[in-house]
Amino acid sequence: MPAETTPTLRRRQLGAELRRLREERDLTIEDAAERLGCSTSKISRMETGVTIQRSRDVRVLLEYYEVAQEHQDRILDIARGVRQRDWWHRYTDAVPRWFERFMAAETSAVTWDCFDAQLVPGLLQTRDYAFAVMRAANSSLDDDEIERRVSLRMERQNRLTGDDPLTLWAVLDEAVLRRHVGGTAVMRAQLEHLQQAGRRPNITIQILPYTVGAHAAFGFSFMILSFPGVNGGEVVHVEQLNSGLYLEKETDLRRYKLVMNRLRAVALDPERSLDLIAHAAEDLT
């Protein structure tokens, strides 16, 4: 359980360890909840890292699980550090509360697989394209508020660079290339940026051409985030108009991963996809 990670990842790692220790003792979530005097949903949130685990609660559970003192001390050291804030907390004034959970997941993820039927994914957007998207979706906000949200999106893109970048695999419907967002110049610059991004070693872009017709993800978009470590786990995120849906059950993960693999199989290969992106840029007049 390395501690030299983001606060969000430490919460996930701590939660995974608490779950492992509970299951090792053949105890149920109901057993843990009864011992802590809380609801089963609180235990579930602690074990998935959705909520900050309080040190005193962790200590009670560790004693209940009969964990050796030396191991208890190591876990409690991590528990004391999970209250630190991630970098994106300085932008909490610029995003809805429900999106904070997604940013926490994105900060800790090591891979991001996605299918998008409408828009270029946020991590691959240019500033002007992002501004046009956010302006269309948030007509009640002034330009300064939109710029604040765009700045956050641009900073999020740092996950794609550095010594240990996020691995991103995006399958995009051809409609993403053909829908003019922000005008001709903005769209052309966005497509050129997409071409450049697709040639980086940690980014794979495939285009699902119109000729495919109906497909496994017809009518919706989604992403699958995976986290480091043996117990890192995965989560499916489906963004809705005013909320985000998170799926972590094995049956849900298996279904979405199967759909993602089917999309990869029928989409153009990465090189032909970049060619189609280039043609779409040339078609803009």
Side-chain angles (χ1 to χ4, degrees):
M1 295 178 62
E4 63 280 10
T5 53
T6 68
T8 296
L9 183 54
R10 285 198 292 272
R11 287 195 293 273
R12 291 187 66 91
Q13 292 171 328
L14 174 58
E17 182 68 356
L18 290 174
R19 182 175 65 250
R20 185 189 71 80
L21 292 168
R22 174 179 59 76
E23 292 175 346
E24 194 174 71
R25 295 287 298 167
D26 290 326
L27 295 168
T28 65
I29 286 181
E30 288 75 15
D31 293 329
E34 182 177 353
R35 183 56 176 260
L36 202 57
C38 67
S39 65
T40 55
S41 61
K42 176 177 177 176
I43 299 297
S44 179
R45 291 194 300 271
M46 289 177 66
E47 292 186 351
T48 56
V50 171
T51 188
I52 293 176
Q53 303 97 335
R54 295 187 300 178
S55 296
R56 64 182 180 182
D57 291 339
V58 173
R59 186 184 299 277
V60 170
L61 292 177
L62 293 177
E63 291 175 354
Y64 182 41
Y65 301 156
E66 299 180 358
V67 177
Q69 188 61 52
E70 184 178 352
H71 192 34
Q72 281 195 40
D73 292 341
R74 289 199 298 270
I75 295 174
L76 287 168
D77 280 343
I78 294 174
R80 283 186 281 271
V82 299
R83 288 187 174 276
Q84 297 175 4
R85 291 183 177 272
D86 280 303
W87 67 268
W88 48 264
H89 271 280
R90 65 179 180 274
Y91 285 101
T92 52
D93 63 304
V95 295
R97 189 64 178 268
W98 64 265
F99 195 64
E100 293 181 20
R101 182 180 175 186
F102 174 75
M103 288 193 296
E106 180 183 84
T107 298
S108 301
V110 291
T111 68
W112 175 357
D113 298 338
C114 70
F115 170 69
D116 206 306
Q118 299 290 338
L119 297 170
V120 173
L123 293 188
L124 298 176
Q125 293 178 3
T126 64
R127 175 175 286 274
D128 289 339
Y129 183 97
F131 187 94
V133 169
M134 292 189 185
R135 165 52 67 215
N138 301 278
S139 58
S140 63
L141 300 181
D142 62 36
D143 284 354
D144 288 341
E145 291 173 305
I146 295 294
E147 279 292 352
R148 179 80 169 147
R149 297 190 179 197
V150 170
S151 293
L152 168 60
R153 181 161 297 180
M154 295 301 102
E155 191 161 351
R156 284 171 51 206
Q157 294 181 4
N158 291 334
R159 286 292 288 112
L160 295 173
T161 59
D163 295 332
D164 189 22
L166 178 73
T167 298
L168 187 154
W169 193 321
V171 177
L172 308 179
D173 194 286
E174 186 176 348
V176 173
L177 311 182
R178 305 300 182 181
R179 183 181 301 280
H180 289 202
V181 175
T184 300
V186 170
M187 194 64 201
R188 184 183 294 114
Q190 175 63 74
L191 294 176
E192 291 170 352
H193 178 72
L194 206 56
Q195 290 178 69
Q196 295 168 6
R199 298 195 181 281
R200 289 159 60 179
N202 60 311
I203 299 175
T204 301
I205 298 173
Q206 289 184 265
I207 303 301
L208 194 68
Y210 289 142
T211 53
V212 168
H215 54 79
F218 207 43
F220 66 95
S221 303
F222 66 93
M223 63 186 68
I224 305 170
L225 299 172
S226 67
F227 306 94
V230 176
N231 296 314
E234 297 171 300
V235 62
V236 173
H237 172 76
V238 181
E239 188 168 328
Q240 300 171 324
L241 187 60
N242 291 311
S243 64
L245 178 64
Y246 296 86
L247 306 171
E248 296 184 87
K249 292 182 179 180
E250 186 59 36
T251 52
D252 292 325
L253 289 170
R254 188 163 52 246
R255 180 179 181 184
Y256 275 88
K257 288 164 73 172
L258 177 61
V259 168
M260 190 70 198
N261 287 334
R262 288 177 175 173
L263 292 171
R264 287 177 176 137
V266 297
L268 299 177
D269 63 57
E271 197 61 38
R272 291 171 63 201
S273 294
L274 294 182
D275 288 342
L276 182 56
I277 295 171
H279 289 314
E282 292 171 0
D283 289 341
L284 290 171
T285 57

